[in-house]
Amino acid sequence: MSNASADERLAQLLTPFTPDKPGLALLVTIGGETAFEQYLGGADLEHGAAVNAATRFHVASVSKQFTAFAAILESAAGRLDLDADIRRYLPELADYGAVVTVSDLAHHTGGVRDQWELMILSGTPIDGLIRQSAIVAMAAAQKGLNFPPGTDFRYSNAGYSLLAEIVARTSGKPFAAYLTDSVFEPLVMADTLVYGDASKTVHGRAMSYALGAGGEVKLARLNYSNYGATSLHTTPRDLAKWARELLHPSVFGRDVIARMTTPGRLRDGTPLNYGFGIMQDVLGGRPALTHGGADAGFRAAFNLFPADDASVIAFSNGQADVGVIAQALADACLGAAKAPEPTTPEGDRVAKLQGYYVSDWGPGLDLEARDGKLVRAAGGPTPLEAKFLTNGEFYFFAPSNGMSERPNGDLVERQGVGGLQLVYRRTDRATPTAADLQPLVGRYRSDEIDTTYTLAVASGEIILSSLRSSPIKLVPADKDSFDGPWLRLTVARDAGGAPTGFTVSTGRVRSLAFQRID
C-alpha cells in the first residue's frame, strides 16, 4: 500500500466519528515530535463535551505496565523481592503447595485465576460496583491455580490486582498515590491518575458508551473501584511522555527501563513475548513494544516502534477497533509494511482439517468445510474464515495466532499474548441420551466463588443456572464434557460412575471445582 492509499484508508476509518458519537483520541510521535494528532467525537454526549487533548480516557489493561513498573521501582529501592513468594507480602492467600513469585504475577506465569472470569462465574454483575477489597478476597478464597507456577502462561487480571496490593504494602502508600509520586510527577504526566474510587469525580474524563445494532448510542457502564489490572486514566500526550521514557530513558535509570522492557521466561527457560505489562510483537511487519486495553466502552492501543523511534496511541470511549485504527496510523505515518501473503490451501487440506477439537481452556473448536473454505463455527454470529499462509500455517484472528497440524491430527495454535503454544486435541462429540444426562441433575457448589449452580436437563441440553446469573445452555462435547458459549464443563464421578461434581474451565480459569450437594 502506498502512503496515499494508507492516508485514504485512515480517512475512511475516521469518518464515522462525528460529534454525536463516542470519540477517539489519536497521537503519533516520531523522534519525540508529534507527527499526527487528532481528537474526534464526544467525550460526554449527555453534556455535549467533545473529545480534546485534555480528555482523560480509562485505558484498561494499558494500566498494567505502570503496576509492573511500580514493582520494579520497589525492587530497586530494596523493599520488594521480585523472586519472593507472594505470600510474604499477602499472607492471607492460600498455600498452593508451590511458590508463586512476584515476577510470576508480572509475567502472568503464576497460574492465578482471572478475577473477571471468576466474578462472571459467580454471577457478579461486571457493570456493578467492583471493589478492590472484593477482588483480593476472591483471590484469597482460591485453593488452586490454573497450572503449577512458572510452567505456563495465562493472562490474569487478578495477578495484577495482587501486584498493586503488594506495592501498596511494601511502600506504605496507597497505590494511586505511589504512582503519582513515583512515576507521574517525575514524568510530568499531570493529567494521569489511577482512578480507584468510583465515587470520586474526575474533571474532563470521557464517559463509556457502546453502539447498538441500529447505531444508537448506549451507556456502557464502568463502575470500578479497583486498580492494578486497570483503572489508569490518562491522555495521549501524557502517555507519549511514558513512551519516550521507554525508548530513551532520561528520568529513570537505564537499567530499570531495560528490565521493564525485557520479556519473562518460564522456570525451564522457555522465553515469552510478554513481561512486566509489555508485549514484544510484530505489528504490520514492524517489531513493536505493545499493549492494548478493553473495559466496557473503552478501548486503548499503545504501540511503540523502537526501530522508527515512534509511538502510536489510540483511545476510544465507544468500543472502536483501535487496533485497526492504530495500524492505519502506523501505515500512514511510518509507511505501510508488507503483510503476510495469504494463499490457497492445497488439495484436500480443508476437508482434512474439519472436525471437532478440545483444549484445556474453554469450549471446543468446531471447524467446518463450507464451499471450499475452512470456517470456525463457534466464532460468534458470523463464522470466522481461516486464512492460509505460505509458511503452511493458517489463522482466524491474526497471523500471530498461527495454527498448524500435528501428525496425529491435533492442532497447535501459537498464542499471540505470551507466545507459547496451545494444543487442540482432535476428538469426537459425545452423544449422550436423556437417560445418560438425567443423573447429572442436581445442585453443585464452589466455596472458592461462594456460588451454587443448579444443573437441569431440557431437550438434550444441560441448563446451568444460579440465583445471580442467567441460565447457560451447554451442549455435549467429548465424553463427560459439555460446551457453553464461553466455558467447558467436565463431570467428575466416583468409582461407581455416579456424578460427584464438575469442573469449569474458561479462557483464563481452569478446572474450578464444584461439589455436588444434592
Side-chain angles (χ1 to χ4, degrees), residues 226-291:
N226 57 277
Y227 46 83
T230 184
S231 294
L232 185 78
H233 281 56
T234 190
T235 67
R237 289 182 182 179
D238 265 11
L239 200 57
K241 296 175 182 178
W242 169 245
R244 190 67 182 164
E245 181 68 15
L246 291 176
L247 293 174
H248 299 279
S250 62
V251 176
F252 301 101
R254 289 185 176 275
D255 290 346
V256 171
I257 297 299
R259 188 167 197 182
M260 178 70 191
T261 54
T262 300
R265 292 179 177 271
L266 300 184
R267 296 280 202 277
D268 64 4
T270 301
L272 305 172
N273 67 9
Y274 190 105
F276 294 113
I278 294 177
M279 187 169 70
Q280 294 200 357
D281 202 357
V282 176
L283 301 177
R286 295 182 183 85
L289 302 176
T290 180
H291 210 293

Side-chain angles (χ1 to χ4, degrees), residues 3 97 112 132 136 143 150 175 180 186 221 227 264 381 389 403 505:
N3 277 341
V112 177
Q132 184 79 357
V136 174
K143 302 300 188 288
F175 180 70
T180 295
R221 299 197 182 276
Y227 46 83
L389 301 174
M403 305 184 78
S505 296

Side-chain angles (χ1 to χ4, degrees), residues 54-79:
T55 301
R56 291 162 158 167
F57 282 77
H58 170 103
V59 294
S61 288
V62 173
S63 310
K64 288 182 171 67
Q65 58 201 276
F66 292 94
T67 304
F69 190 58
I72 289 175
L73 291 179
E74 280 296 280
S75 174
R79 292 186 291 265

Side-chain angles (χ1 to χ4, degrees), residues 88-113:
R88 176 190 297 183
Y89 309 105
L90 302 170
E92 65 268 38
L93 298 182
D95 183 353
Y96 303 118
V99 172
V100 178
T101 69
V102 179
S103 289
D104 282 328
L105 299 182
H107 301 330
H108 299 299
T109 55
V112 177
R113 292 166 175 161

Side-chain angles (χ1 to χ4, degrees), residues 158-362:
Y160 268 79
S161 294
L162 295 178
L163 191 59
E165 285 299 300
I166 290 172
V167 168
R169 295 186 189 188
T170 61
S171 68
K173 285 186 176 184
F175 180 70
Y178 181 89
L179 276 184
T180 295
D181 295 345
S182 301
V183 181
F184 305 147
E185 287 186 355
L187 290 174
V188 198
M189 296 172 66
D191 289 322
T192 301
L193 71 153
V194 172
Y195 184 64
D197 182 347
S199 68
K200 290 186 175 181
T201 59
V202 177
H203 178 72
R205 67 168 162 165
M207 303 307 291
S208 176
Y209 302 102
L211 295 180
E216 72 276 19
V217 178
K218 298 182 177 181
L219 287 169
R221 299 197 182 276
L222 186 69
N223 207 16
Y224 284 178
S225 283
N226 57 277
Y227 46 83
T230 184
S231 294
L232 185 78
H233 281 56
T234 190
T235 67
R237 289 182 182 179
D238 265 11
L239 200 57
K241 296 175 182 178
W242 169 245
R244 190 67 182 164
E245 181 68 15
L246 291 176
L247 293 174
H248 299 279
S250 62
V251 176
F252 301 101
R254 289 185 176 275
D255 290 346
V256 171
I257 297 299
R259 188 167 197 182
M260 178 70 191
T261 54
T262 300
R265 292 179 177 271
L266 300 184
R267 296 280 202 277
D268 64 4
T270 301
L272 305 172
N273 67 9
Y274 190 105
F276 294 113
I278 294 177
M279 187 169 70
Q280 294 200 357
D281 202 357
V282 176
L283 301 177
R286 295 182 183 85
L289 302 176
T290 180
H291 210 293
D295 281 331
F298 294 107
R299 300 292 185 269
F302 177 63
N303 303 333
L304 307 185
F305 301 100
D308 298 283
D309 195 15
S311 66
V312 177
I313 298 166
F315 299 159
S316 162
N317 64 329
Q319 299 183 340
D321 191 339
V322 292
V324 170
I325 293 169
Q327 186 57 59
L329 280 169
D331 289 343
C333 295
L334 304 176
K338 187 175 178 61
E341 289 289 343
T343 188
T344 302
E346 297 179 356
D348 59 352
R349 190 178 179 198
V350 167
K352 287 181 177 179
L353 284 169
Q354 69 177 336
Y356 180 63
Y357 303 81
V358 297
S359 76
D360 294 329
W361 301 93

